[in-house]
Each structure stands twice: as structure tokens, then as C-alpha cells.
Amino acid sequence: MAILTVNFFSNSLSRIVEFQMVLPNDLPPTMKAGNPAYDRKMKTLYLLSGFSGCSRDWLIGSSIQDVALKYNLAVIMPSGENSFYLNGKGTGKAYETYVGEELVKYTRNVFGLSDQKEDTFIGGNSMGGFGAIHTGLAYPETFGKLFALSPALIVYNIEGMKDGSKDEIADYEYYHQVFGDLDNLDDSRNNPEFLVKELKVSGTKIPELFMACGTEDFLLETNRRFHSFLKEQQISNVYYAESAGTHDWNFWNEYLEPAIAWMVDDNNNKKLDSNDAAEV
């Protein structure tokens, strides 16, 4: 297995950027024997970090190296830099474009990764979970499946927020800079609900989605609200799970392998146990 740190110039961000990569390219034949993941082409996961995190978070906090090796999965880990992976105003702030277009194109070209939608996934935790949902919905022809662990679906909490106010994470100026007009988030592309409705109107297939959130997580209610919204919209390819846990690596590691096993299974046989998940 190769663990890579890659620097390249990003036109979307107007500077040199860095991402981490796990590439299971040298597994001995004896370890491949009996593993069906090595009877197919390598698949690719773009794995997004959370608020205040960086490209190394998943390497440090999770078992992603072992899981990537087990499932013959290339994993690319960029930094989101508190952007929520959205396109901000001004030069050098196009994080949605960076992850959804530029990074995908660059890594496919340089590393010979599959250019097929069914082999390309995006996932993340917290802010990265929001980014995975939003980017996957923004680029449904690129990403076949998405997973979001404790996604920070904070659009519900900040809509209508006024100048001078703040919460425990950030202030109005930050949210306004990242999400735009907070009085009109319902009708903004920065709101995943808007993208879902847009895809439905256009008749575009919505990527399959795996969501999980801990029952002690401060984001639980916003996760439930988004799940309810998907039910109301009759989106049938969503798997949602809740179990004991809070907003930490213990919970994310609990669901990392189940989420990846679900993603790479072409026949969708790897669903969560009915005691832990609700199928929309």
C-alpha cells in the first residue's frame, strides 16, 4: 500500500493545494486470494474532513488504511478549510468545483483511476458529511454513491440568522460568507434540499446515500429532519442509521467500514441490519 502526500496547483483555489491518498497497489498475491474485491477494478473514494480539520484527519483518526486495503479502494483526502465544500465568492474559493471537478479529473489522469460513475464515491464526517451530500448532489453524473457520518446539516439552524448573532461554532459573518444570503437558504444551491428538488424536476437520478448519526450527537435533530425531507420527496435509495454515540471518532469508526462495504457492493446486498437502520 502507498500512502501519498500530493501537492499540485489548483485553478479553483488559485494556489498550491495538498491532499493525502491511500493507494492499495502492492498487496501480495497470497493476501488477495479469496478476496472478491481484487477480482474487480479498483474503486475510488473522495473522503472529506470536518470543520477545523485537514487532509490528514482520516489517516490519524480512523482505520481508513485497513479498510481501503480490504476493499481495493483508492482514497483521496483533501482539506476543506472550513468551507463546507461550497463555492465562495471571490477568486480562490471554489471548493465545490475543486472537489467535484478538478480533484476528480486530476487524480483520474495522474493515477489512472476509473472514470466510471459506478466506481466513484464521496463520503465524509461532520462538515465533510455535509460536503459529501452537497457535492454528490451537485455532481450526480460523477459520484455513484455517497456516505455521510454525522453530517453537519446546519442550514436548518442558520437560516434567517441576523447580523451580530452567533452560535457555539461561529458567527453570522462566517455563515454569511460561506452560505450566502441566510434569509434565502431555501432557494439556494448551497442547501442540499434545493439540489434534491432540482434533480427531481430535471429527472436526474439521485445518487444513493448512506447516513448515520449518534443518538447523543448535537446534530441528531438536523439529521432526522433531512432524512424526513428525503422521505417526503419519495427518494427511495437512502439508508439511514442511528445508534448510541456522539460526535467523535469512536462513532465514525463504527460506521466507516459498513458505509464502505455498502458503497462498493454493486448488488446493494450490504445493507444495515434492520435494528440499526431505516430504509427510506
Side-chain angles (χ1 to χ4, degrees), residues 6-255:
V6 181
N7 294 273
F8 77 105
F9 183 82
S10 165
N11 290 304
S12 305
L13 302 182
S14 300
R15 57 184 170 81
I16 299 292
V17 296
E18 178 178 294
F19 66 87
Q20 311 299 320
M21 184 172 183
V22 174
L23 190 63
N25 60 340
D26 57 356
L27 195 67
T30 53
M31 295 182 67
K32 292 182 181 180
N35 185 341
Y38 287 90
D39 295 331
R40 55 159 172 79
K41 293 189 300 184
M42 182 183 293
K43 297 179 184 286
T44 307
L45 168 64
Y46 295 84
L47 188 56
L48 311 183
S49 58
F51 186 87
S52 74
C54 69
S55 63
R56 296 180 180 273
D57 282 9
W58 284 98
L59 287 175
I60 295 169
S62 81
S63 57
I64 189 58
Q65 295 181 51
D66 292 336
V67 177
L69 195 66
K70 180 176 179 180
Y71 291 97
N72 190 21
L73 185 70
V75 184
I76 290 94
M77 295 160 280
S79 289
E81 299 170 355
N82 295 353
S83 67
F84 274 78
Y85 303 92
L86 298 173
N87 281 346
K89 291 184 177 180
T91 301
K93 295 182 179 179
Y95 287 89
E96 175 191 317
T97 304
Y98 166 57
V99 173
E101 294 183 30
E102 188 176 26
L103 186 62
V104 172
K105 182 178 180 180
Y106 179 84
T107 51
R108 283 175 172 176
N109 287 342
V110 173
F111 298 101
L113 303 174
S114 172
D115 62 358
Q116 299 301 301
K117 170 182 175 178
E118 59 267 23
D119 297 328
T120 308
F121 315 120
I122 189 166
N125 64 324
S126 195
M127 182 189 80
F130 175 93
I133 292 172
H134 183 273
T135 309
L137 294 173
Y139 296 94
E141 301 305 323
T142 299
F143 302 102
K145 295 182 183 180
L146 334 171
F147 80 78
L149 307 182
S150 314
L153 294 158
I154 62 171
V155 289
Y156 298 121
N157 298 333
I158 65 174
E159 185 175 13
M161 194 176 189
K162 301 304 180 184
D163 191 7
S165 58
K166 62 181 180 179
D167 59 23
E168 63 275 13
I169 303 298
D171 57 19
Y172 167 84
E173 292 298 335
Y174 164 78
Y175 290 123
H176 183 267
Q177 181 184 50
V178 172
F179 289 91
D181 182 0
L182 301 184
D183 287 327
N184 293 289
L185 269 179
D186 267 352
D187 299 317
S188 167
R189 284 194 78 261
N190 291 337
N191 186 342
E193 286 194 2
F194 179 86
L195 295 180
V196 169
K197 293 175 183 177
E198 196 173 54
L199 292 176
K200 284 190 65 180
V201 169
S202 69
T204 304
K205 182 180 179 181
I206 295 174
E208 296 179 62
L209 170 62
F210 177 117
M211 288 178 63
C213 191
T215 51
E216 288 72 52
D217 195 313
F218 71 100
L219 293 170
L220 179 62
E221 292 308 315
T222 58
N223 275 252
R224 287 175 172 173
R225 182 168 172 178
F226 186 64
H227 180 226
S228 295
F229 163 78
L230 295 173
K231 283 184 175 180
E232 292 165 4
Q233 294 295 313
Q234 298 181 323
I235 308 301
S236 61
N237 55 357
V238 178
Y239 303 92
Y240 177 82
E242 290 180 10
S243 64
T246 185
H247 202 75
D248 61 17
W249 285 104
N250 291 324
F251 183 84
W252 301 326
N253 274 311
E254 178 183 348
Y255 279 95

